[in-house]
């Protein structure tokens, strides 16, 4: 079996931009793409470069910031973004009847609107190149549903429609658009959950455990690779069977 970091899957000389790539799943994706041979630029609000990676300031809710970030990437690398991983996201969980307008608007604008803004800008360079990879980081919650997460689930399920619409619009130009949908992953967020709640969640997962950030990164790395050129509009669950591919 070919390893995701083997020469056969390497993406040498390609520029990858990972939004929200300075911690957690985003950082693991950034490091995996760098290991695969990509020139990786991390987009984050602080513009701070983690673990030796290059970074640019990026606020995905602001078109001007998105444009400035892509311009900065071009200045750094001398070319357009060929791999975009739209990972930046927030959560403001609340029961539906207590959900405020800010809880709703900010989550939708960051998770869904931000991904669209970045894809819109990235597509311009990809169309000129006649190739590109757009990868959207969703969640099992977007397909499975979760009480208290109506806003988050809506933003994450919306990414499926985004990827599939882009696939139909730009598929003939050598551009793919896919979604990864992680389930419960070992991160700082899940580490802070009460032990009895973690036990309950694990019991619902057929694999019997939480996933790792490296497992998510490996899936993204594959979708970014030349070997995934005939995969577009797909949703790849990385959830230990929790959502059963929904």
């Amino acid at each position: 079996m070919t390893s995701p970091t083997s020469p056969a899957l390497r993406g040498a000389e390609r520029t990858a931009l990972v939004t929200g790539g300075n911690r957690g799943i985003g950082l693991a994706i950034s490091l995996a793409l760098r290991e695969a041979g990509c020139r990786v630029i991390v987009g984050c609000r602080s513009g701070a470069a983690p673990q030796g990676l290059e970074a640019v300031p990026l606020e995905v809710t602001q078109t001007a910031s998105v444009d400035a970030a892509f311009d900065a990437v071009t200045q750094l690398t001398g070319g357009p973004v060929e791999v975009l991983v739209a990972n930046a996201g927030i959560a403001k969980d609340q029961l539906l009847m207590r959900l405020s307008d800010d809880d709703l608007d900010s989550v939708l604008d960051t998770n869904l609107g931000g991904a669209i803004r970045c894809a819109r800008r990235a597509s311009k360079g990809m169309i000129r190149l006649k190739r590109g990879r757009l990868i959207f980081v969703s969640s099992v919650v977007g397909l499975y549903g979760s009480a208290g997460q109506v806003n988050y689930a809506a933003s994450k399920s919306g990414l499926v429609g985004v990827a599939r619409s882009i696939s139909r619009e730009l598929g003939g130009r050598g551009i793919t658009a896919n979604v990864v949908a992680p389930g419960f992953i070992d991160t700082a967020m899940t580490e802070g959950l009460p032990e009895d709640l973690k036990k309950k969640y694990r019991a619902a997962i057929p694999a019997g455990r939480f996933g790792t950030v490296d497992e998510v990164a490996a899936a993204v790395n594959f979708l970014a690779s030349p070997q995934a050129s005939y995969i577009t509009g797909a949703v790849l669950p990385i959830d230990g069977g929790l959502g059963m591919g929904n």
Side-chain angles (χ1 to χ4, degrees):
M1 182 175 179
T2 305
S3 165
T5 56
S6 71
L9 294 185
R10 288 185 174 272
E13 306 300 324
R14 296 185 303 161
T15 296
L17 174 63
V18 182
T19 71
N22 57 327
R23 59 195 175 99
I25 290 173
L27 178 56
I29 290 169
S30 299
L31 295 174
L33 289 172
R34 183 176 67 177
E35 175 64 20
C38 289
R39 174 86 177 266
V40 178
I41 313 293
V42 169
C44 55
R45 288 174 175 171
S46 67
Q51 297 195 27
L53 292 161
E54 299 171 279
V56 295
L58 175 59
E59 172 51 69
V60 298
T61 63
Q62 299 173 9
T63 297
S65 178
V66 171
D67 288 339
F70 275 81
D71 288 343
V73 171
T74 298
Q75 291 175 1
L76 282 170
T77 65
V81 170
E82 188 173 342
V83 177
L84 171 68
V85 182
N87 169 73
I90 62 171
K92 292 186 177 181
D93 298 343
Q94 187 57 268
L95 294 175
L96 177 61
M97 63 182 180
R98 297 176 183 170
L99 192 68
S100 70
D101 283 350
D102 179 67
D103 293 336
L104 176 62
D105 295 343
S106 59
V107 170
L108 288 174
D109 197 27
T110 300
N111 299 1
L112 183 56
I116 293 173
R117 289 184 190 94
C118 291
R120 178 178 63 188
R121 178 55 194 264
S123 68
K124 296 177 181 178
M126 293 178 180
I127 288 170
R128 289 195 297 271
L129 286 174
K130 297 182 180 179
R131 65 181 184 275
R133 298 283 187 270
L134 298 167
I135 302 167
F136 301 93
V137 180
S138 179
S139 166
V140 66
V141 169
L143 305 173
Y144 191 73
S146 177
Q149 290 191 296
V150 168
N151 53 350
Y152 185 77
S155 70
K156 291 300 187 178
S157 64
L159 293 173
V160 177
V162 170
R164 289 180 173 170
S165 296
I166 291 172
S167 293
R168 295 188 183 281
E169 187 173 328
L170 301 179
R173 297 175 180 266
I175 299 168
T176 66
N178 292 292
V179 174
V180 294
F184 288 102
I185 306 298
D186 274 322
T187 62
M189 184 181 296
T190 54
E191 182 61 31
L193 293 172
E195 193 56 44
D196 60 336
L197 192 56
K198 288 193 281 187
K199 183 177 180 180
K200 177 182 176 181
Y201 288 154
R202 289 192 188 99
I205 301 169
R209 64 175 178 85
F210 289 173
T212 69
V213 293
D214 289 338
E215 287 171 319
V216 179
V220 172
N221 200 18
F222 170 68
L223 290 174
S225 74
Q227 277 64 28
S229 61
Y230 201 54
I231 301 173
T232 193
V235 180
L236 178 56
I238 311 154
D239 60 10
L242 178 61
M244 290 293 176
N246 287 331

